Amino acid sequence: MLTKWGSTRRRTVVTVLLAAGSLLATTGPVAAADTGAVSRDVYVSPAGSDHASGTAGHPVRTLDRARDLVRQRAPHLTRDLTVHLAPGVFRLGAPLRLDARDSGGNGHRVIWQGSGDTELNGGVRVTGWRPVPGRPGLLAAPAPAGLDNTRQLYVDGVREQRARGPLPVTVQATATGYTASADTLAHWRNPKDVEFVYVSGEALWNVKRDGLGQWTEPRCPLAAVQGTTITMAQPCWDNSTKRVLFPDIPGRSVNMVGPADLTNGRHPTYAENAFELLDTPGEWYLDRSAHVVYYLPKPGQDLRRADVEMPVLEKLVDARGTADAPIHDVAFRGLRYSYATWLTPSSPEGFSEIQAGYTITGADGWAVQGLCQFVPGGTCPYASWTREPANVSVSRGRRVEFSDSVFAHLGGAGLDLIDGTKESQVRGDVFTDISGNGVQVGGVDKPTTDTDADVVRDVQVTDNHLYGLPREFHGGVPIVNGYTVRNTISHNQIDHVGYSAISVGWGGWPDKIKRPATPNLSHDNVVSDNLIFDYMQMLDDGGGVYTQGITGTSLDDGEKVTGNVIHDQWGLGKSVYTDNGNTYETIRGNVLYGAAYFNVGTVHVDYRDDLGNNDPTLIEGNYWEQGDRDKVDKGAITRGNQILGRPADAPAAIVANAGLEPAYRGLLTRPVGGRAPAEAPSRVGTFAVAGKLYATWNPTFAFNNAPVTDYVVTASGGGRTYSATVSAADFSKRAYAEVPGLADGTAYTVTVAARNAFGTSEPSLPSAPVTPGPLDPSALPGVPTSARALPNSTAASIRWNPPAAAGNTPVLAYVITVSDGRTIPVEGRDALVTQPTIKGMTRVVDNLKPATAYTFTVAAITATGTGPAATFTTTTAAA
């Protein structure tokens, strides 16, 4: 039965305004004389026919046919032309490809209007599931026609885990791959399908730092396995393990990003995508050679009735203009973009990440790509590495709008606005369950240009909710902005993400070799009034707002970071991170707390001249815990900032204004995906003492529509298992759990599962083993160093560095004492993660009296006991 929108003689026009998940309708009669104008719209339904006329009563079926009808009518517009997309699933056999012919005209737009339940689907359904003989619980189904490869599988809207597990052998790196301790992998079904994954982040307890830097997570496929010889795919292996070094700068690679010595980064954290790793409910594997899909169902799943989707397309919408003929005046509203993949990481290119989803690619990419003036044959400009593509993309666009839509179940980045796109908007959308970056605005391939057609400018990314991402390429960022002009990133809520929340700028790394940052066209970009929390939940060395490179020509037109509320950072980094070559940034009127390390940092030397000044930066009028005094430091200005004694003391006006504006707050309750247990936690680390062990992990940030309530910690050893349950609130406060009652002398591994209202997740990958046993109780931690207090009249920012020697066990917490009799415990992830790298700690002590002298002490606490304290004094300011 065809969907109908009205009669042919007299109808009621319904204008649908979808903002913040609400539906506002205005109705009114339209006379028959108006039907000629109305009939110029195009109507599309999954139940339509491409032989139909495209009217309300006779809709067409495909988006391509609708586009062709638009092309016939667009040159003669006398009003906006709307393509009405009925509710339902439009399964795309190819991307919807648009160009200048699909633009509006004469001051009017072409609007692709969905219902909110209109889905553009790039996947195929998997049916015909049957039990696998000899493998209890395992199901198999024929791979659907057209499915040659994919990296994702979804059951009832929930992303499931591609089969993974620890390597069944130990490996030693070689020039071309590894030598394994046994020939186990040579006997696996399809060794070339296997990927090794290298998870970075800070080294902590017995968790190694693999990969190419704390902010990255490279992946490389195997090329061949013969006996114990593992040959890795090229060029991924070389691009992930080799760097050109400066001959005259010891320990510095020419690309200047990440470590120069990648020896330690060659250790694979785990293996993924092998039939032999199918051992946990919720895992799947596509056997490409046999054209069979395998899945091990979770409890309660019935695949005979479930909607099982596997993405096929790598693009859903591909809108491309040219310099002479941009695509313009087009809006996409009320749509769901779903089930697309990205296959380059499955190819020999792999995923040699360098930062924010950008990768080194191509044969000898490690030796030449983006190295420009620094090596013979280096390609230009400097740092022009390869951006991951988005599943929805606009290039050379003008006045393009994406609003009231959902970007979810996607395998690359979500949305690209690149290559000269201008005066465009991303407003009132949801971005979640995306493998990589959320929104990518601009690029880094053209730092300077004399052609306005190449400039990305006047783009607004406002009032969007971005959360629960990235799901696969964990170094991704919800909003990435390259070299651009007058862009605004404002009033977004970004929460529960694996790494940084917003990344702006590029090309600042040359300051590491005392060279100026890459000159670029950026100016007048604004990051304002965003609400960012629970970020950097997997990787480290990032921030709530991360910026590097030159942001303008002066403080007047440089980047403005204003009115944001940023709190509860998990990984080591900064609330607002001014990284390499960051110049002319103003950081004003933000509320910043709960950071692991610093609220704002770091000041760099400005190498554009020989004056020895710092990069010009203004840090003014913020409410923070950092407590730095007013100063002018060779061009970097800090003034008028206020110590935030408690989050509740933050100015109500700033807090109320940050994040989604009132008309869009319904986005926070808009359901996306299925209702299911959460994703498993990651990076489980442990250490042991007599009779028990301690465990920490990176929390779950993908909830599947119900927040995590508890974590279940399971220690396995000596043929027995021991479990402990810790509430999510307690874990957020302490960042570790204890498992008592263990046998000394027995090795234990630990897994952690997350529990929400819909059940318990699959367990995490296991930790490295630890063995409980007695420790010397006299081996206490050392004295914290550089302890000091930075006061105002009623509070003091207490700052210290962890002790260089922790004693028998890692530092678990600190204790502050105040001469007024108070004892203040200091717990949290920063207490754990700052000690191995001796990064600074900060806590605020409030309820102090003006013009009063105080003495403080700070001491470190380990599982053995409390160490000696650092003692220091200060006097609060007058009221």
Side-chain angles (χ1 to χ4, degrees):
M1 178 174 164
L2 300 186
T3 302
K4 294 191 176 183
W5 283 265
S7 66
T8 58
R9 290 292 301 164
R10 185 174 179 87
R11 67 194 69 187
T12 298
V13 174
V14 179
T15 301
V16 179
L17 304 175
L18 288 161
S22 63
L23 185 147
L24 309 173
T26 60
T27 63
V30 177
D34 294 327
T35 60
V38 173
S39 67
R40 297 187 59 82
D41 283 355
V42 177
Y43 294 79
V44 198
S45 168
S49 167
D50 280 355
H51 297 291
S53 59
T55 62
H58 300 87
V60 298
R61 185 177 63 85
T62 66
L63 275 61
D64 284 355
R65 179 55 182 154
R67 175 202 59 199
D68 294 342
L69 293 175
V70 168
R71 286 180 177 176
Q72 296 172 15
R73 302 171 187 184
H76 311 292
L77 292 184
T78 57
R79 59 169 186 81
D80 291 350
L81 190 160
T82 300
V83 180
H84 300 268
L85 299 168
V89 176
F90 289 86
R91 292 195 177 271
L92 306 182
L96 173 63
R97 302 190 188 278
L98 305 174
D99 57 36
R101 295 172 291 174
D102 307 299
S103 303
N106 303 319
H108 303 290
R109 296 166 296 178
V110 173
I111 302 170
W112 294 75
Q113 178 69 64
S115 68
D117 290 319
T118 302
E119 180 177 279
L120 307 189
N121 185 313
V124 290
R125 293 193 66 182
V126 185
T127 58
W129 295 95
R130 296 289 184 271
V132 176
R135 286 291 303 271
L138 185 63
L139 301 180
L147 178 66
D148 176 63
N149 197 8
T150 192
R151 297 181 62 85
Q152 295 84 29
L153 178 144
Y154 300 83
V155 177
D156 289 331
V158 175
R159 180 185 294 234
E160 305 295 359
Q161 176 61 55
R162 199 162 63 150
R164 66 174 183 176
L167 270 65
V169 293
T170 58
V171 293
Q172 182 68 41
T174 66
T176 58
Y178 300 93
T179 299
S181 59
D183 65 352
T184 307
L185 270 66
H187 300 287
W188 281 10
R189 181 178 295 194
N190 295 304
K192 289 185 178 181
D193 283 354
V194 178
E195 284 178 14
F196 283 177
V197 184
Y198 305 81
V199 184
S200 296
E202 291 290 342
L204 174 66
W205 297 5
N206 60 359
V207 178
K208 291 184 176 181
R209 178 194 296 167
D210 301 321
L212 309 180
Q214 301 96 302
W215 56 92
T216 65
E217 191 183 67
R219 294 168 169 262
C220 274
L222 278 58
V225 184
Q226 294 181 326
T228 60
T229 300
I230 300 171
T231 303
M232 301 299 292
Q234 294 286 14
C236 186
W237 178 247
D238 281 353
N239 289 339
S240 299
T241 62
K242 292 183 178 181
R243 292 291 181 267
V244 183
L245 302 183
F246 284 110
D248 55 342
I249 307 177
R252 178 63 66 193
S253 66
V254 173
N255 71 19
M256 295 167 267
V257 183
D261 182 1
L262 303 181
T263 303
N264 292 332
R266 297 184 187 187
H267 178 267
T269 310
Y270 63 92
E272 186 169 296
N273 199 38
F275 177 81
E276 289 74 11
L277 297 175
L278 271 171
D279 59 4
T280 303
E283 289 187 331
W284 64 275
Y285 172 68
L286 170 62
D287 188 334
R288 299 179 64 200
S289 61
H291 214 59
V292 175
V293 183
Y294 294 93
Y295 181 68
L296 191 58
K298 297 175 182 176
Q301 286 182 330
D302 183 354
L303 265 60
R304 295 171 300 175
R305 296 177 174 83
D307 176 25
V308 182
E309 302 272 355
M310 300 187 81
V312 174
L313 297 185
E314 296 185 77
K315 288 278 188 188
L316 298 174
V317 177
D318 191 7
R320 298 190 186 188
T322 66
D324 296 328
I327 181 170
H328 60 90
D329 298 293
V330 180
F332 301 88
R333 300 173 180 170
L335 301 173
R336 290 179 177 256
Y337 303 94
S338 303
Y339 303 118
T341 191
W342 177 40
L343 297 178
T344 296
S346 297
S347 76
E349 283 283 2
F351 188 74
S352 298
E353 185 175 33
I354 196 160
Q355 186 161 318
Y358 278 76
T359 56
I360 298 176
T361 59
D364 294 327
W366 65 276
V368 297
Q369 188 180 25
L371 301 188
C372 201
Q373 69 269 29
F374 297 111
V375 299
T379 61
C380 291
Y382 168 71
S384 57
W385 298 300
T386 303
R387 179 186 60 242
E388 68 185 21
N391 298 131
V392 179
S393 182
V394 176
S395 59
R396 307 282 187 193
R398 290 201 173 194
R399 296 179 297 281
V400 180
E401 172 197 323
F402 290 87
S403 61
D404 189 43
S405 296
V406 174
F407 295 76
H409 314 327
L410 301 177
L415 173 64
D416 270 342
L417 297 177
I418 54 174
D419 298 337
T421 295
K422 300 172 175 40
E423 303 163 27
S424 296
Q425 294 182 335
V426 182
R427 184 184 67 241
D429 299 309
V430 172
F431 292 82
T432 190
D433 188 19
I434 297 171
S435 287
N437 294 328
V439 183
Q440 300 183 143
V441 185
V444 301
D445 290 335
K446 294 182 178 180
T448 59
T449 178
D450 295 328
T451 306
D452 181 66
D454 293 331
V455 179
V456 174
R457 60 169 170 81
D458 299 303
V459 174
Q460 297 183 356
V461 181
T462 60
D463 284 299
N464 304 286
H465 188 201
L466 305 99
Y467 69 97
L469 60 94
R471 295 293 298 274
E472 185 176 3
F473 310 114
H474 293 116
V477 179
I479 302 176
V480 178
N481 187 94
Y483 299 130
T484 63
V485 173
R486 292 196 303 271
N487 286 355
T488 299
I489 301 169
S490 185
H491 284 293
N492 303 285
Q493 178 168 315
I494 304 175
D495 61 272
H496 296 95
V497 295
Y499 179 52
S500 297
I502 298 172
S503 180
V504 183
W506 202 253
W509 296 286
D511 83 349
K512 292 181 176 180
I513 59 167
K514 301 184 179 181
R515 301 275 191 91
T518 303
N520 70 80
L521 54 81
S522 296
H523 64 83
D524 290 296
N525 290 308
V526 174
V527 180
S528 65
D529 307 313
N530 300 285
L531 174 60
I532 298 169
F533 61 94
D534 289 335
Y535 60 101
M536 289 178 61
Q537 301 229 304
M538 186 169 179
L539 300 183
D540 294 271
D541 199 9
V545 178
Y546 171 94
T547 302
Q548 61 156 298
I550 301 171
T551 73
T553 63
S554 68
L555 283 172
D556 288 338
D557 70 357
E559 179 184 339
K560 305 294 188 297
V561 178
T562 63
N564 303 283
V565 175
I566 304 174
H567 64 89
D568 290 327
Q569 170 188 303
W570 189 258
L572 188 63
K574 294 135 188 176
S575 308
V576 179
Y577 197 157
T578 55
D579 205 5
N580 302 121
N582 179 249
T583 307
Y584 297 131
E585 179 171 343
T586 295
I587 302 161
R588 178 186 290 126
N590 304 282
V591 173
L592 312 171
Y593 61 93
Y597 193 17
F598 276 135
N599 290 134
V600 179
T602 306
V603 173
H604 297 264
V605 175
D606 186 351
Y607 291 106
R608 295 175 301 161
D609 54 41
D610 297 322
L611 301 179
N613 290 323
N614 290 319
D615 290 324
T617 307
L618 176 60
I619 305 169
E620 180 179 52
N622 300 286
Y623 298 83
W624 62 357
E625 297 174 324
Q626 190 163 316
D628 288 358
R629 296 183 174 96
D630 289 1
K631 61 182 176 180
V632 177
D633 185 9
K634 298 180 180 179
I637 303 168
T638 301
R639 66 189 182 201
N641 302 288
Q642 301 295 320
I643 295 176
L644 188 63
R646 299 170 300 162
D649 295 336
I654 297 177
V655 174
N657 189 53
L660 300 175
E661 295 177 281
Y664 295 90
R665 290 176 186 165
L667 294 178
L668 301 178
T669 57
R670 178 180 289 187
V672 177
R675 299 184 175 187
E679 188 176 62
S682 63
R683 303 194 79 233
V684 179
T686 57
F687 74 87
V689 298
K692 68 178 177 180
L693 62 77
Y694 292 77
T696 187
W697 57 91
N698 282 32
T700 296
F701 56 88
F703 298 149
N704 295 324
N705 289 306
V708 171
T709 56
D710 304 278
Y711 291 99
V712 180
V713 185
T714 302
S716 302
R720 300 184 63 185
T721 60
Y722 303 80
S723 294
T725 299
V726 57
S727 72
D730 285 346
F731 178 68
S732 179
K733 179 181 177 182
R734 299 180 70 194
Y736 67 89
E738 301 176 36
V739 182
L742 305 183
D744 289 353
T746 298
Y748 294 88
T749 59
V750 170
T751 61
V752 182
R755 201 157 55 193
N756 68 7
F758 303 123
T760 303
S761 75
E762 66 270 20
S764 68
L765 293 169
S767 69
V770 291
T771 302
L775 300 176
D776 179 1
S778 66
L780 297 174
V783 179
T785 62
S786 302
R788 60 207 183 277
L790 303 177
N792 63 12
S793 60
T794 60
S797 175
I798 308 301
R799 303 268 290 276
W800 70 95
N801 288 345
N808 271 343
T809 77
V811 170
L812 292 172
Y814 295 88
V815 60
I816 299 172
T817 67
V818 190
S819 54
D820 62 11
R822 285 181 286 170
T823 298
I824 302 170
V826 177
E827 298 178 304
R829 178 68 165 188
D830 57 340
L832 277 54
V833 80
T834 53
Q835 193 274 321
T837 50
I838 315 300
K839 301 293 186 183
M841 289 283 298
T842 303
R843 285 298 186 275
V844 173
V845 175
D846 63 352
N847 292 323
L848 302 180
K849 296 179 180 178
T852 303
Y854 287 91
T855 299
F856 302 90
T857 69
V858 177
I861 301 172
T862 66
T864 306
T866 302
T871 301
F872 48 102
T873 62
T874 194
T875 300
T876 54

